[in-house]
Amino acid sequence: MTTLPRFLTLPSGSFFLFGPRGTGKTTWLRSVLPGALVVDLLRSGEYRRLSARPERLAERVRSAPPGSDIVVDEVQRVPELLNVVHSLMQSGGGHRFVLTGSSARKLRSGGVNLLAGRAMLRTMHPFMAGELGCSFDLEATLRLGTVPTVVDSDDPASALDAYASLYVEQEVRAEGLARDVGSFSRFLEAAAFSHAATLNVSEVARECETSRSTVVGYLELLEDLLLAFRLPVFTRRAKRRLVSHPRFFYFDCGVFRSLRPAGPLDRPAEIGGAALEGLVAQHLRAWLAYSDSGARLHYWRTRGGSEVDFVLYGAPGIWAFDVMNADRVRPADLRGLTAFGREYPEAHRVLLYRGEYRLVRRGVLCLPVGDFLHGLSPERGLDDAVSAPAPSPAQATG
C-alpha cells in the first residue's frame, strides 16, 4: 500500500484507531511506529492462540521493553483482549497501546467501555485530496474513490469490484453478522440508490423484498462495519418545519459506484452527482476527524423543499455547503443556500460546483469543488480552505 503522509496525527497516549478495512490503518502505524510489537488478529494462528487464551497477550507484552508501543490489529475479533489491555494499563510499564478495528459491533458488547478515559478514539478515512497531492484526479476519483487499497492496486477497477465482496465474505459471512448473505447483498445494492439522498427505510425494504425490521438491522450492520453513515437534520434554532429522516451515504464514493447497479435508463449525471456529494461528505468527515474540532456534520431540509447538502456546526462556526454537478451556476442553484441564509444570517455559505472560476453570487461564495477539496486539511481552517482572491466585478455580478 502506498505510504503517503496522512493527516492523522499520532496521539501521545494509548488510543483506538477505527476505520473500514483497506483505509491504511496498518500501513500508517508501520510508518509512525516502526518498532512496535504488533499482534495481528487477521493471522489465523495469532487469532486461534489468543481466542483460546486471551491472557497470552500479557505474556507477549511483558516480554517487551518498558515503554514499548503495542499494536493489536483488528481487536474486535477477540474483544476479551480489552480486559487484558485494561489490566496491563493499570499495572504500569509505560506501554502505549494502539487498538485498531474495522468493526464496532463486537466491541460495543465486548467491554470497550472498560478503557473509557484511558484510551482516545481516532478514526482513519479514505485518502483526502490533500494527502494525494498532485496525483488527485477528480474524474478518476469519482469513478474509483480514494480507499488506499484500491488506489494502490495495479488494477484499481478490479480491486474496487472486489471490495464489497471482501466485506460480505470476510466480515458478514465469517462472523455470522447476517444470517442470509444473499439478502444482505441485495440490500447493499438497494441502499446504493439512497446514497446522498434522504433515507426511507420502508422504500429500501420494498426494493430488496424483505421486512422493514430486517433493513433496520442491515443499516446498523453497515454502520458497525464503518461502511456507511447517516447525516441528521440540522435543527438548531429552527423556525421552519423540517424533515425528520437522515441522509444516507456509503463511506466512499467509489464503493457507492461499485455497489449501485447501472442500466440503460440511468442518467450518468444523476449517478455522478450522487458520487460528487459523497466525495465532499467523506472529505468533510475526514477533516472533522483529523482536525479534532468537535464540530458536527448535518444537512438541512425544510418540508417546503429548501435544502442544503451539508451543514457543519461547532467551533469553526456555521458553514453551509451545497454541491452541484454542473460547470455553471444558475439562480435556481442558490435557492437552498439563500433560504438557509435567511434562517441563519451568521452562516458561511458555499456552493461547490464543477466550473473553474471562483464567484460570488447573491452573497454565496461559489468554488470549484476540486480547489476546495485540495485546500481542505486539518492544519488549515475552513476560512483558509475557501480563501480566494476577490472576484472581478464581472464574476461577482454574473
Side-chain angles (χ1 to χ4, degrees):
M1 188 174 293
T2 302
T3 307
L4 293 174
R6 303 301 301 265
F7 287 148
L8 179 64
T9 57
L10 182 67
S12 58
S14 298
F15 64 100
F16 288 98
L17 178 60
F18 288 109
R21 193 82 64 84
T23 48
K25 301 184 296 295
T26 302
T27 300
W28 178 74
L29 287 170
R30 283 176 184 155
S31 68
V32 297
L33 298 175
L37 168 64
V38 178
V39 178
D40 185 0
L41 294 175
L42 288 179
R43 294 174 58 188
S44 57
E46 196 84 87
Y47 171 71
R48 284 195 302 269
R49 288 183 68 255
L50 293 174
S51 294
R53 289 185 57 195
E55 62 272 16
R56 285 172 172 155
L57 176 65
E59 298 170 359
R60 295 276 302 278
V61 172
R62 290 186 182 118
S63 69
S68 300
D69 294 308
I70 313 296
V71 176
V72 182
D73 218 353
E74 300 296 337
V75 68
Q76 82 279 349
R77 300 200 73 197
V78 188
E80 295 80 9
L81 290 176
L82 293 172
N83 297 321
V84 180
V85 172
H86 187 241
S87 176
L88 290 167
M89 293 173 74
Q90 286 184 317
S91 63
H95 299 295
R96 172 169 49 188
F97 289 89
V98 183
L99 310 169
T100 80
S102 57
S103 170
R105 192 176 187 89
K106 286 188 176 180
L107 292 181
R108 187 173 293 119
S109 59
V112 69
N113 288 333
L114 289 174
L115 303 184
R118 289 183 173 270
M120 294 174 283
L121 174 63
R122 293 292 183 267
T123 53
M124 181 71 83
H125 296 261
F127 282 133
M128 293 180 67
E131 293 171 321
L132 291 169
C134 61
S135 64
F136 174 76
D137 178 85
L138 182 59
E139 292 296 339
T141 296
L142 290 174
R143 295 193 312 272
L144 301 171
T146 61
V147 176
T149 191
V150 173
V151 172
D152 193 50
S153 171
D154 293 333
D155 186 355
S158 296
L160 181 60
D161 288 339
Y163 192 86
S165 297
L166 178 144
Y167 268 90
V168 170
E169 294 297 328
Q170 293 190 13
E171 301 287 356
V172 179
R173 188 189 298 275
E175 298 191 17
L177 298 179
R179 294 181 180 178
D180 186 343
V181 176
S183 175
F184 184 72
S185 297
R186 291 192 297 273
F187 161 76
L188 289 175
E189 290 190 359
F193 288 93
S194 294
H195 177 85
T198 303
L199 182 64
N200 187 317
V201 175
S202 299
E203 220 172 81
V204 175
R206 284 193 295 271
E207 281 288 326
C208 53
E209 300 179 346
T210 189
S211 68
R212 190 181 190 280
S213 61
T214 298
V215 167
V216 169
Y218 284 166
L219 286 167
E220 292 174 355
L221 175 55
L222 273 187
E223 291 179 318
D224 285 341
L225 294 176
L226 310 176
L227 282 173
F229 60 94
R230 285 177 267 191
L231 282 189
V233 181
F234 183 70
T235 58
R236 297 280 182 132
R237 214 177 64 204
K239 298 177 183 177
R240 305 187 187 194
R241 294 183 65 196
L242 305 176
V243 299
S244 57
H245 295 294
R247 291 181 83 199
F248 172 84
F249 289 90
Y250 278 106
F251 83 103
D252 175 77
C253 63
V255 172
F256 150 69
R257 293 290 288 263
S258 72
L259 291 172
R260 190 195 188 284
L265 299 180
D266 286 305
R267 292 187 297 119
E270 181 181 349
I271 299 176
L276 184 64
E277 287 187 40
L279 181 63
V280 172
Q282 69 191 66
H283 272 71
L284 290 173
R285 288 183 80 227
W287 182 85
L288 287 170
Y290 298 154
S291 64
D292 202 21
S293 69
R296 295 290 182 268
L297 192 62
H298 310 77
Y299 85 107
W300 183 77
R301 184 176 183 180
T302 69
R303 292 190 180 275
S306 296
E307 183 173 2
V308 171
D309 292 326
F310 305 106
V311 176
L312 191 150
Y313 179 81
I318 305 178
W319 289 79
F321 297 94
D322 249 349
V323 182
M324 302 299 303
N325 189 33
D327 59 5
R328 297 181 61 187
V329 178
R330 302 168 302 169
D333 299 332
L334 303 172
R335 288 175 184 167
L337 289 168
T338 300
F340 190 83
R342 287 195 292 266
E343 295 279 325
Y344 304 95
E346 67 271 57
H348 306 271
R349 294 172 294 147
V350 182
L351 178 72
L352 304 174
Y353 78 120
R354 297 293 299 276
E356 55 182 312
Y357 299 110
R358 295 171 179 258
L359 317 169
V360 175
R361 297 273 176 86
R362 299 182 181 180
V364 173
L365 179 61
C366 307
L367 295 179
V369 63
D371 290 353
F372 173 75
L373 297 179
H374 265 295
L376 200 60
S377 73
E379 294 80 15
R380 308 174 69 190
L382 289 174
D383 288 297
D384 294 328
V386 303
S387 62
S392 66
Q395 291 176 338
T397 59

